[in-house]
Amino acid sequence: MPLVTVSDLTKTYVVGQTAVPALRGVSLAIDSGEFVAVMGSSGSGKSTLMNLLGCLDAPSSGTYHLAGQDVLRLSSNKLAAVRNTSIGFVFQQFNLLARATALENVELPMVYAGLRRRERRRRAREALAQVGLSEREHHRPSQLSGGQQQRVAIARALVNQPLLLLADEPTGALDSVTSEEIMAALVRLNEGGLTVVVVTHDPEVARYARRVIHFKDGRVVSDDLNQAMRAAA
Amino acid sequence: MKLANSTLAALRAVRVNKLRSALTMLGIVLGVSSVTVMMAVGGGASQRIQTEMRNLGANTIVLNSGALKSGGVSKGQGSRPSVTLADAQAIENEVPAVVAASPQHNFAGMQLIYGNANWSTLVTGTTPEYLTIRNWTVSRGRAFDREDVVQGSKVVVLGRTVAEKLFGNQSPVGQEIRVNRIPMTVIGELAAKGQSLAGLDTDDTAVIPISTALNRVIGRNPANPRAISGVIIKVRDGANMASAFTEIRQVVRERHGLLPAQEDDFYLINLTEVMRAKEDSARALGILLAAIASVSLLVGGIGIMNIMLVSVTERIREIGLRLAVGARRSDILGQFLVEAITLSLIGGIAGVALGLGGAVAVERYANLGVVLNGQLSLVAMAFAAGVGIFFGFYPAWKASLLQPVEALRSD
Ligand SMILES: Nc1ncnc2c1ncn2[C@@H]1O[C@H](COP(=O)(O)OP(=O)(O)OP(=O)(O)O)[C@@H](O)[C@H]1O
Ligand SMILES: [Mg+2]
């Protein structure tokens, strides 16, 4: 059974009097362990899909099953638990707490998982070490570079050992060298068995993925294994 | 566990956002402390009025000659003193509503000497009824009686302040002092009565028999040897003060042989009315102070509201992020509630402390009695805390209803 199954997902934003259809019926299945790149022109609905997959927003219609659970029917507390333990989300704009240190930012999901302080500390240190930021535990976001901030955000997304890592243009705000570092980190995580979905504009970045989904006007226009991979196969 | 987490997050937020916390608390502190001080001052004023009421006695009318001698110089107009002992007797006999009319002959600033201690005070010659009319009681020894008045005994009853100045903590009863150089025996001491509304010390006084005053200690007025300073009149409880007043005036006018066209050659004052007027002004003062206190509380409240609204709006993104990483609504609400309560409580306690300090300072340095009202401070605290909690909590509550992305997108 696939980890993620969505069918006929639509999302329409209402701005004033006009309805803006951002997703016009998307059906997808993603298996455990896949590395999926989502591409498409600006405004094609990629972020909208990611937010729905991350349970950060509610669709206008359609269904969404995550690990066999019908997440659209969950109570708000159960949904909070899904966000907390099943999903890790990496934002383009990092979204770190400005007044908290790197360590405290990484601890945040564990606070809501009800872990004890000492356990939180230990696991947050480990996660920061994994992304190579042991030296920066007590720095605040403003004292970190963009790439470092994004690595803190990745550590935060991973610290509760989610089933699914969602990254919406994680390298959009970074230079190409730093982008490669970040993508390399995501690839390593995928090789460790984590399911990764990443939105990107950069064909270079999409090379890392074994499956690329193309979006246009709120619809999936192509969904293939990576051309290069296929050529190699 | 859950609550502990919200509490920690909240306390952290209070500590981390120092300026916001300080500004919120400032509003609460100012509101609560101003209410505490204002109400203490207002309470003090109304308490002084009540003390004075008690000291004067209720249903009292005063008849004055209009020529109170002070230091040998007669002052005021109507300088020919007109009221006599016989007037006092006539008022008591002829006006049915009058319970007692006690003559008084005063001298302000008369010197009293004991050993090498000396003190100037108001000496009043009168009859035993005087103490009853004014609600004064004797705390040590005895008051003089009718016999002392008939005999013209050289006895004196001292007010608390005078006794203290001359005798310290020692009992004055049985001691001999000199009043205007005449040796007299102290037979009693009056119970302490406290400050009058005007801030005068009602205990700074001495009382002697009227006969002794007229014949020896104070002496008679050369312009009218039969005259006394005045009469203090007690009207029966429940009697109509206005008609008693008119009747007394009529009796005195007749006795003084005044024609209808002539003006009174005496002063008649309804003390109850004077007191009532003072009471009214004290009440007005109280209302004014309460109004000022309410306004400052309101301003404090608006301050709290602004800070809270601004800071919570700023923090809707934070709420969005917390929701995105798995916070439940209850976690968010708990955090913001604890945060608002903490700020309000610290501010409220600081406000009460500052208010108490302010009230004590007013008492000490402005020399105005204050009465603390803990209940009102609590009400002010509850109001400030309510405003803080509502405006800290309500926007957070609304934000927690958003989808995480909606909250994250807000600015
Ligand atoms: N909150 C919103 N309110 C109204 N319309 C929105 C909102 N968010 C997105 N849209 C619209 O939905 C459409 C899809 O937006 P979305 O953010 O998913 O695009 P995207 O593919 O992520 O684009 P980009 O590559 O620029 O990030 C766009 O037309 C956008 O204008
Ligand atoms: Mg986007």
Side-chain angles (χ1 to χ4, degrees), chain B residues 95-322:
Chain B
V95 182
V98 169
V99 179
S102 175
Q104 54 180 117
H105 199 53
N106 304 320
F107 193 97
M110 180 159 282
Q111 200 160 59
L112 275 58
I113 300 171
Y114 173 71
N116 43 20
N118 78 80
W119 186 250
S120 290
T121 191
L122 170 73
V123 173
T124 302
T126 186
T127 58
E129 290 76 29
Y130 182 76
L131 298 189
T132 329
I133 294 174
R134 299 205 65 175
N135 263 349
W136 289 0
T137 55
V138 167
S139 63
R140 280 174 174 169
R142 64 172 185 93
F144 54 82
D145 52 24
R146 208 140 266 293
E147 192 61 20
D148 291 317
V149 176
V150 172
Q151 299 288 327
S153 309
K154 290 189 273 183
V155 295
V156 58
V157 178
L158 301 180
R160 178 80 200 101
T161 303
V162 179
E164 204 173 336
K165 294 292 179 191
L166 295 181
F167 295 94
N169 290 328
Q170 205 186 324
S171 169
V173 176
Q175 303 295 333
E176 185 147 299
I177 63 171
R178 286 171 179 274
V179 182
N180 200 14
R181 289 195 290 279
I182 295 155
M184 296 182 77
T185 308
V186 179
I187 56 166
E189 182 187 317
L190 296 168
K193 297 169 292 288
Q195 236 180 28
S196 75
L197 187 66
L200 293 176
D201 180 3
T202 34
D203 297 320
D204 189 1
T205 191
V207 191
I208 61 178
I210 183 132
S211 47
T212 319
L214 281 169
N215 299 330
R216 293 180 174 264
V217 179
I218 299 177
R220 294 170 185 274
N221 191 306
N224 179 1
R226 292 190 308 128
I228 56 175
S229 308
V231 182
I232 182 162
I233 303 155
K234 170 91 168 172
V235 177
R236 182 164 29 81
D237 270 347
N240 183 334
M241 284 300 281
S243 63
F245 186 89
T246 319
E247 281 179 60
I248 293 165
R249 176 161 175 242
Q250 214 40 56
V251 167
V252 180
R253 279 185 68 88
E254 262 169 42
R255 290 186 48 83
H256 291 194
L258 297 174
L259 300 170
Q262 279 179 298
E263 279 180 27
D264 290 350
D265 61 352
F266 53 88
Y267 300 119
L268 199 57
I269 305 154
N270 183 344
L271 280 187
T272 311
E273 222 157 66
V274 173
M275 286 312 299
R276 197 157 291 147
K278 282 188 185 177
E279 209 175 22
D280 282 348
S281 63
R283 191 169 305 131
L285 175 73
I287 291 171
L288 181 70
L289 289 174
I292 295 172
S294 318
V295 168
S296 51
L297 193 57
L298 199 69
V299 169
I302 291 171
I304 302 164
M305 182 185 85
N306 280 335
I307 301 287
M308 278 298 189
L309 281 180
V310 167
S311 71
V312 175
T313 310
E314 239 176 38
R315 292 170 70 200
I316 289 178
R317 284 173 58 85
E318 174 190 333
I319 292 175
L321 175 71
R322 287 177 183 273

Side-chain angles (χ1 to χ4, degrees), chain A residues 43 45-48 92 168-169 199 201:
Chain A
K46 305 179 297 291
S47 294
T48 305
Q92 181 176 356
D168 189 355
E169 298 191 51
V199 171
H201 283 291

